[in-house]
Amino acid sequence: MGVLERLREYLPKGYVKEQRYLSRERVRSKNLPIGIYILSDGVAELCVKAKATKRTLDIMLPGDTFGVLSNTKTAKEFTIHALTPVSFFHIDADNIERLGYEDPELILDIFSLVISKQAHIYEVLRNLCFLKAENKIRNVLNLLSKEAEERKTYLVIKKKHIAGITGLSYENVVRTMSKMENLKSRRVRLW
């Protein structure tokens, strides 16, 4: 049984709370209680504000995590944009400890998800160092395809999201992608 299914078992006990958001709804980190959040259903975009623009850090799929584990005044604020209707599991700090005593294997699996997500975000940020737009786009699509393949799901995203993740303009993404070959992915579709 996967982490999401195991977390659903703890909903009646109150260890885990489920929060639902409509498509296009925005959730700001400063409005969230401290804890770990795990996307349980839907697709969302993780964004930060970079100067005057929005920077997409990730397209989140079920099983992806984010957290507000410290004083959010000192942490970088972020926003979650629901691209489809989404649900998040929220585990507050007290319940993380309770779950640790009751089901230590589950907590280890949750922290494994958190560490995997941090590694993924690092790869996205490392991708920004590439000079050529083509390399940035290809690497982001490969990362997203790998994530979708591991979760045995499909992902449909817009080119504007690719622009947000790569730091390129929308026009540059469209122009570069029209010249690129072999962008076919079984798991990621662009529109």
Side-chain angles (χ1 to χ4, degrees):
M1 190 178 337
V3 171
L4 296 177
E5 292 81 19
R6 289 164 47 208
L7 283 171
R8 275 190 183 85
E9 293 177 357
Y10 287 98
L11 285 168
K13 292 183 178 183
Y15 288 13
V16 177
K17 294 177 179 76
E18 189 168 23
Q19 300 173 347
R20 298 177 188 274
Y21 298 95
L22 300 173
S23 182
R24 297 186 180 161
E25 202 167 343
R26 294 173 189 211
V27 184
R28 299 192 192 294
S29 62
K30 66 182 178 182
N31 300 332
L32 294 172
I34 290 176
I36 293 177
Y37 293 81
I38 302 172
L39 182 65
S40 59
D41 190 37
V43 178
E45 179 182 30
L46 174 65
C47 304
V48 293
K49 194 150 185 143
K51 298 185 183 171
T53 62
K54 174 184 84 168
R55 168 46 78 42
T56 303
L57 287 182
D58 195 24
I59 303 296
M60 299 175 64
L61 302 170
D64 281 341
T65 63
F66 64 94
V68 183
L69 296 173
S70 66
N71 180 350
T72 56
K73 291 180 180 160
T74 59
K76 178 79 172 161
E77 286 188 18
F78 59 87
T79 304
I80 303 293
H81 296 254
L83 299 177
T84 66
V86 297
S87 297
F88 291 105
F89 288 143
H90 171 241
I91 311 165
D92 65 29
D94 292 336
N95 285 318
I96 289 171
E97 189 173 337
R98 284 188 193 105
L99 275 173
Y101 287 118
E102 192 165 317
D103 193 344
E105 193 173 304
L106 176 58
I107 287 298
L108 289 174
D109 289 344
I110 290 169
F111 282 116
S112 176
L113 288 175
V114 170
I115 291 168
S116 294
K117 178 46 65 178
Q118 285 179 330
H120 174 77
I121 296 293
Y122 170 77
E123 286 298 316
V124 169
L125 293 173
R126 191 175 71 83
N127 183 51
L128 296 176
C129 297
F130 290 111
L131 298 177
K132 288 187 167 186
E134 184 175 331
N135 292 343
K136 288 182 179 188
I137 294 168
R138 193 176 309 281
N139 285 345
V140 164
L141 290 174
N142 287 339
L143 280 171
L144 292 172
S145 183
K146 179 182 161 196
E147 292 279 319
E149 185 74 38
E150 287 173 358
R151 291 183 175 90
K152 295 178 177 35
T153 189
Y154 295 91
L155 177 62
V156 178
I157 60 171
K158 296 180 179 180
K159 290 177 183 170
K160 74 175 188 177
H161 296 122
I162 299 297
I165 294 171
T166 58
L168 301 169
S169 70
Y170 174 79
E171 294 79 12
N172 194 352
V173 168
V174 171
R175 186 174 51 251
T176 303
M177 288 181 78
S178 69
K179 298 175 194 172
M180 293 173 69
E181 295 179 20
N182 300 327
L183 282 179
K184 303 265 188 222
S185 168
R186 294 184 340 199
R187 298 284 182 173
V188 178
R189 303 278 186 259
L190 297 170
W191 56 279

